[in-house]
Amino acid sequence: MTRSRAAIAVSCILGILALIGAGLWFGPMAVDWEAQRGRLASLAARELGRPVSLDGPVRLTLLPRPMVEASGVVVGGEAGGIGVTARALRLTLNLPALLLARLEPREVVLVGAEIRLPWPPGNAPALRPPPWLTGFAARIEDGRIVVGDTVLNDVAARLTAGGPLDAVRAEGRFAWRGQAMDFHAVVGRPGFDGIATLDLTLAAGGATGRARGVLVEDGGFEGRVEAFGPDLSALLPTPAMGFRANGRLTVSAELLAADDLTIDLGGAPARGALTLRLAPAPRLDVALSAARLDLDAWTAALRGAGRPLMPTAIDLSAEAAGFRGITLRRLRGGIFREGERVTFSDVAAVLPGEMEIELAGASAGTRLELALRFAGPDLRATLASFGLPVEGVQPERLRATEGRARLVLEETQLAVPEMGATVDGARLTGGGVWRFGARPSLGIGVAIDMLDLDGLVPQWPDWPAAAAKLGGADVNLRFAADALTLRGQRVERAAVDAALEGGRLAVRRLSGRAAGADLAFSGTATLAATPRFSDLSLEVVASSARGLFDLLPTGWQPEAALAEQPLALRVAGGGPAEALALRAEGELAELRIESQATLDTGARRVQGALTLRHPGAPRLLSALWQGRDMSWVGEGSFSLITSLLVGPAGATAENFELVAGLLRTRGALILALGAERPRLAGRLTSERLPLPDPPWRSTEPLGLAALGGIDAEIALAAQRIEMPDLPPIEDAKAALRLTGGTLDITGLEARVSGGALGGEVSIATPPGAAPRARLSLRLSGASVTGPLLGLPIDVTSGLTEAELALEAEGHSPAALAASLSGSLRLGVRDGALAGLDLSALQAAAGVLEPEPGLRRALEGGVTGFERLDLAATIDGGVARIAQAALAGPAGPAAASGQVDLARGTLDVAITARPGAAEAPEVALRLQGLLADPQRVVELADWARWRAMQQ
């Protein structure tokens, strides 16, 4: 019984407690909180110290803690003052007080608040705590603060103001331009002097910035600022580097200035200043002076930066700056950016080579236009610093430089519309365009007054290397020079119009005037490992070929008569590099040149046919050797037709045919260049070979020294050789060998007037000494049918045998004749001697008055003889008769004396004995010039003897 009553009592107590609890829980929820709107606004105003209006619904939440939330919140509302709106106002309530029907807030929270601070603040001191901000404690969640045009998002902060004399504290987080920042601010109350303290700390991206100072009475701030962090790029568009800066900070309603800044950027010291102008429009001015800057890193960072929040001006200076591996010295300049427009002013630097540059300009959208001025004493060093090849340029070239240019940089190209410069004294004007992309394109137009290419153009690489360098870009080039020099040759009015596109090089025109000739070239080529050429054309026109012939090696230049003639040459062709087909034709006065050839550029070999034609061979040869009588070749045309193969190893002329007047020669020659000296080998065969009368008395050098520059081995043959005043030589053959400057003609075999001719010729040209010549001839069985020697007393018929051995030394024919030495043996059988009549001489001896007949017999006529023997020795150019005897039906005759071959004189006496055997001899003496001697008949001794006989 007792146990049952106790259980009933406990149950009653629990029921009562449950009823009380349910009343306490559901009681507040049954309250009409909309009716409490005014009371809640008063509570919030009391906590915030500002009028509060609640326009939205009001609801109560008991768990996890009692809270009243109202929406449509407006705090304050004075015109021109601080404006605060919020999505919701939360009042955290005291639960015991709430149960007793009292509203005691513990915390005020503004959710989704937007706080607008007027800027510039006008007459209100914006940076000082307002007087009403006392006993304040509130939090902001998911808020937004707007200061002028600056917006801080995702604001989560707590603000407290303990009392009228306590400092206002604010701390929390916000986001600015996507960067999350923590802040902590303490604003002190102003004293009697109107000055309040401010301590503001910001932290973002591992960096920290702190400003300490005072808020002056007019609303400004004066103090110190300090910032530091491990990576400045996390905050600003700069390279990744640690930084530290401190200096003085001044803030007013219109200006924020940080000056006297001491800065450390990645270990590099710098100084600077920063000014943020807020009125009449926001503008940021930055001045930075550093010992060294890495412009590559700064440029990359600035390119990646977005549009700036406000116009920004930067005044930059550095003692040294690195840019793409180049060190710039004394860098200075100003940069101003407003929106998308960037202006550069007074930018200057010193490049390697002491090249001073200055530039100024501005951008418009994506277009940047700059005016550039440059001057320096060593352009070579400047170009080398940019990695351009200058190794092949002579050290004295590319030095003093000065000029101006206008640059236009766009997204797709860099253009130089105008440029004027002086390089090594040469004036240069023009412009160009460089288009970016996967396949860059370059267009250049340049004009220069004088350009010396000698020592300026490095050795051109081989074709595959050149193709690899040029194949990745397109180039359009127009170049003009009043005059340029290449390998010592001056070219006037030089012009180049060429394009490189898609691996195809097109030379639209390359022209100029050089060596007195107008030159023009055009054609195309593909830049492949094995190039192909097409539409090649070369034209050379000159009113006088003298200048072009002067370019030939000494000794190859023709005489003035031919060199002064007008020249026209045209070459055309095309094809692959290993088989480039060329066709050439030209005229040099009346000489016409035609050729068709195939050129292998890789092997540097050309093969084809060459034809030379002229209507008058004597005129052509006289023009080639001016001042010489070339009539000996005979009247007729000139032609040379041959097949040629020319390469690095030498040249081959196969089956060539040469016709010049009466001359008819064919043969084949091979010139080999691989040995110590060039070597010429082959064969020459002449149908008819006219030869000139040797210029025995000429003092002109024979040029025999050139024999030492070549070796030769040639088989010679001629069906007929013709020389003035000599019988023709037929079926001649010999072997010519030239080795080490010694010319030997051996194995000479020929027929002369039915007889056999043999012999050898040798010419040696020892270094430092006069040439030496040796001649040995043998003639047997030759029938004389005309004057043999061309002398006043000469053999005109008979069967002849002769031996001749001569030696001479000298540089000219006259010198050779003066040093001539050797021997002569001549034998003639059954012949006739013109110039005297021995039969008449004998007949006149028996008449009553013999003297007139004797004179007539010695002054003319013909003498038949059975045998004539002559032996002579030659020394110093003088031939002395050692023996001369004639035997025949008219009796014997003899001769004595000498012939000076060098001077062309003679002193010879021919003696005979007319009449009885005991009679003295009569003589015919020949004296004077060899061509026209004086005849002196000597009859005195015979006349005295005859008188004594009567």
Side-chain angles (χ1 to χ4, degrees):
M1 184 70 180
T2 303
R3 188 177 292 177
S4 298
R5 290 178 180 176
I8 292 173
V10 171
S11 298
C12 290
I13 292 171
L14 292 176
I16 293 172
L17 293 176
L19 290 175
I20 293 173
L24 293 174
W25 179 261
F26 290 104
M29 298 182 63
V31 176
D32 183 7
W33 291 99
E34 291 291 338
Q36 303 296 321
R37 184 188 306 275
R39 187 178 178 188
L40 292 174
S42 298
L43 288 174
R46 186 184 66 188
E47 292 295 323
L48 297 176
R50 302 289 285 167
V52 176
S53 62
L54 304 176
D55 297 331
V58 180
R59 60 188 180 88
L60 173 67
T61 301
L62 292 178
L63 292 177
R65 52 186 177 180
M67 179 187 303
V68 176
E69 181 175 321
S71 58
V73 182
V74 177
V75 180
E78 301 91 339
I82 299 176
V84 180
T85 60
R87 188 173 62 248
L89 172 68
R90 295 175 181 170
L91 292 175
T92 302
L93 302 177
N94 187 328
L95 181 60
L98 179 62
L99 295 176
L100 298 176
R102 296 198 308 270
L103 297 178
E104 294 183 2
R106 288 189 173 182
E107 186 180 34
V108 178
V109 180
L110 294 176
V111 181
E114 180 172 306
I115 303 173
R116 293 185 174 274
L117 303 178
W119 198 273
N123 295 328
L127 297 179
R128 302 172 63 195
W132 49 263
L133 195 58
T134 60
F136 175 80
R139 284 194 307 113
I140 298 176
E141 294 181 359
D142 193 20
R144 185 166 180 257
I145 299 177
V146 180
V147 183
D149 295 331
T150 302
V151 179
L152 307 180
N153 295 308
D154 301 330
V155 179
R158 181 176 183 86
L159 291 81
T160 60
L165 300 179
D166 293 335
V168 177
R169 299 179 180 273
E171 58 183 353
R173 297 174 60 85
F174 63 85
W176 180 54
R177 298 186 64 188
Q179 177 69 52
M181 297 187 180
D182 296 329
F183 72 92
H184 180 272
V186 178
V187 182
R189 301 289 180 171
F192 294 105
D193 55 1
I195 297 177
T197 61
L198 172 64
D199 188 340
L200 174 63
T201 302
L202 294 175
T208 302
R210 185 171 186 178
R212 292 180 177 181
V214 295
L215 301 171
V216 297
E217 187 175 3
D218 60 359
F221 173 82
E222 295 180 357
R224 303 287 297 178
V225 63
E226 180 182 9
F228 56 90
D231 188 1
L232 185 59
S233 64
L235 305 176
L236 298 174
T238 65
M241 66 178 74
F243 72 98
R244 177 175 294 275
N246 63 79
R248 185 174 58 189
L249 178 63
T250 302
V251 181
S252 66
E254 299 180 353
L255 183 70
L256 184 151
D259 55 12
D260 197 19
L261 291 174
T262 301
I263 306 171
D264 185 314
L265 297 175
R271 299 189 65 84
L274 182 147
T275 302
L276 175 61
R277 300 182 185 276
L278 303 174
R283 169 178 167 144
L284 178 63
D285 293 299
V286 179
L288 179 63
S289 176
R292 184 173 182 86
L293 289 177
D294 184 358
L295 289 183
D296 291 325
W298 281 86
T299 302
L302 290 174
R303 285 179 177 174
R307 180 175 178 176
L309 296 176
M310 65 189 73
T312 302
I314 301 176
D315 187 356
L316 180 66
S317 64
E319 287 301 316
F323 180 69
R324 297 187 178 182
I326 302 171
T327 299
L328 310 180
R329 297 186 295 111
R330 300 200 300 270
L331 175 65
R332 59 178 175 81
I335 305 172
F336 178 69
R337 182 171 181 180
E338 183 175 10
E340 296 297 332
R341 182 177 177 84
V342 178
T343 302
F344 297 87
S345 60
D346 299 327
V347 178
V350 178
L351 302 179
E354 299 301 317
M355 180 70 70
E356 298 180 0
I357 63 170
E358 296 180 2
L359 62 85
S363 67
T366 59
R367 176 186 175 94
L368 174 61
E369 186 168 345
L370 298 173
L372 173 66
R373 189 194 71 79
F374 52 91
D378 192 355
L379 177 61
R380 177 190 181 92
T382 304
L383 296 177
S385 67
F386 283 92
L388 297 177
V390 295
E391 293 81 5
V393 180
Q394 291 182 355
E396 65 273 12
R397 304 301 305 279
L398 296 179
R399 293 299 185 182
T401 306
E402 182 178 5
R404 298 176 181 271
R406 184 164 65 91
L407 310 179
V408 178
L409 177 61
E410 300 179 87
E411 287 185 348
T412 59
Q413 68 178 28
L414 169 63
V416 184
E418 301 173 9
M419 181 186 66
T422 301
V423 180
D424 292 340
R427 293 189 299 274
L428 176 70
T429 60
V433 178
W434 175 257
R435 292 185 175 88
F436 313 128
R439 185 176 186 84
S441 174
L442 175 64
I444 303 176
V446 177
I448 192 170
D449 60 346
M450 179 61 194
L451 178 62
D452 185 1
L453 294 177
D454 292 329
L456 181 62
V457 178
Q459 185 178 2
W460 187 255
D462 56 13
W463 183 264
K469 288 180 177 292
L470 300 176
D474 294 337
V475 179
N476 198 319
L477 171 65
R478 284 183 172 87
F479 171 82
D482 295 341
L484 61 82
T485 303
L486 178 62
R487 294 183 180 179
Q489 180 62 45
R490 181 182 176 89
V491 181
E492 298 177 344
R493 302 195 302 272
V496 179
D497 185 357
L500 175 64
E501 185 174 357
R504 181 173 178 268
L505 174 63
V507 179
R508 293 183 284 264
R509 183 173 180 82
L510 187 155
S511 62
R513 181 173 180 81
D518 294 320
L519 313 175
F521 172 80
S522 62
T524 61
T526 57
L527 296 180
T530 302
R532 185 178 185 86
F533 303 92
S534 61
D535 301 326
L536 298 181
S537 175
L538 172 65
E539 293 187 5
V540 181
V541 178
S543 59
S544 171
R546 165 56 64 191
L548 294 174
F549 285 137
D550 287 343
L551 302 179
L552 297 176
T554 303
W556 290 43
Q557 302 172 1
E559 297 289 345
L562 182 64
E564 298 298 338
Q565 300 299 320
L567 170 70
L569 177 65
R570 297 167 294 278
V571 181
E578 66 275 9
L580 181 61
L582 298 174
R583 183 180 65 260
E585 59 181 22
E587 297 87 24
L588 178 61
E590 296 180 278
L591 178 63
R592 180 169 179 80
I593 307 166
E594 297 179 357
S595 177
Q596 291 184 345
T598 301
L599 173 64
D600 186 343
T601 59
R604 296 181 296 171
R605 182 176 58 193
V606 60
Q607 182 175 8
L610 173 66
T611 301
L612 302 177
R613 298 184 186 275
H614 192 281
R619 295 199 308 275
L620 175 62
L621 297 179
S622 295
L624 285 171
W625 290 281
Q626 188 176 7
R628 299 183 185 180
D629 182 15
M630 306 300 294
S631 59
W632 55 269
V633 301
E635 292 298 326
S637 64
F638 172 89
S639 68
L640 173 63
I641 302 174
T642 182
S643 298
L644 288 174
L645 175 62
V646 181
T652 301
E654 297 181 354
N655 301 322
F656 72 85
E657 294 185 5
L658 174 64
V659 176
L662 301 177
L663 174 66
R664 302 288 189 274
T665 299
R666 64 170 54 90
L669 294 174
I670 299 175
L671 177 65
L673 301 177
E676 179 182 358
R677 289 182 300 273
R679 181 176 180 81
L680 184 65
R683 55 182 174 79
L684 293 175
T685 302
S686 298
E687 297 178 6
R688 190 172 184 182
L689 179 61
L691 295 177
D693 190 8
W696 297 115
R697 296 175 182 84
S698 174
T699 58
E700 293 292 327
L702 293 172
L704 297 177
L707 298 178
I710 189 171
D711 292 342
E713 187 170 354
I714 302 174
L716 303 176
Q719 296 181 14
R720 184 180 179 88
I721 301 175
E722 300 175 354
M723 296 182 65
D725 302 325
L726 290 178
I729 301 174
E730 298 177 336
D731 299 332
K733 61 180 180 179
L736 182 150
R737 182 185 296 272
L738 176 60
T739 305
T742 298
L743 173 66
D744 294 313
I745 298 178
T746 59
L748 174 61
E749 297 180 4
R751 288 188 305 107
V752 179
S753 300
L757 176 68
E760 296 84 22
V761 178
S762 177
I763 300 175
T765 58
R772 295 193 302 270
R774 293 196 307 272
L775 171 66
S776 176
L777 292 177
R778 298 173 299 279
L779 178 63
S780 62
S783 298
V784 179
T785 59
L788 179 62
L789 302 175
L791 299 175
I793 307 297
D794 203 349
V795 177
T796 59
S797 66
L799 193 62
T800 304
E801 292 185 359
E803 291 184 3
L804 178 65
L806 298 176
E807 291 186 4
E809 181 177 311
H811 293 281
S812 66
L816 290 172
S819 63
L820 199 62
S821 63
S823 63
L824 169 65
R825 188 188 66 80
L826 175 64
V828 183
R829 292 175 296 153
D830 301 327
L833 183 67
L836 56 83
D837 189 347
L838 293 181
S839 296
L841 182 70
Q842 295 297 334
V847 302
L848 185 59
E849 293 183 3
E851 187 172 345
L854 293 176
R855 288 185 179 276
R856 286 192 300 269
L858 293 175
E859 290 177 353
V862 176
T863 300
F865 61 87
E866 296 175 354
R867 186 171 184 84
L868 171 64
D869 293 312
L870 173 67
T873 60
I874 304 170
D875 186 22
V878 177
R880 294 176 174 84
I881 299 175
Q883 177 188 358
L886 181 144
S896 63
Q898 65 181 29
V899 178
D900 192 334
L901 301 175
R903 296 173 176 82
T905 62
L906 79 165
D907 185 2
V908 176
I910 302 174
T911 61
R913 194 181 304 274
E918 65 275 11
E921 294 179 338
V922 296
L924 173 64
R925 185 171 296 278
L926 302 176
Q927 293 178 327
L929 297 176
L930 186 63
D932 186 18
Q934 293 181 355
R935 289 171 174 258
V936 178
V937 177
E938 297 179 354
L939 302 175
D941 291 343
W942 190 88
R944 284 192 298 269
W945 176 83
R946 176 70 181 268
M948 292 175 63
Q949 297 299 318
Q950 294 178 353

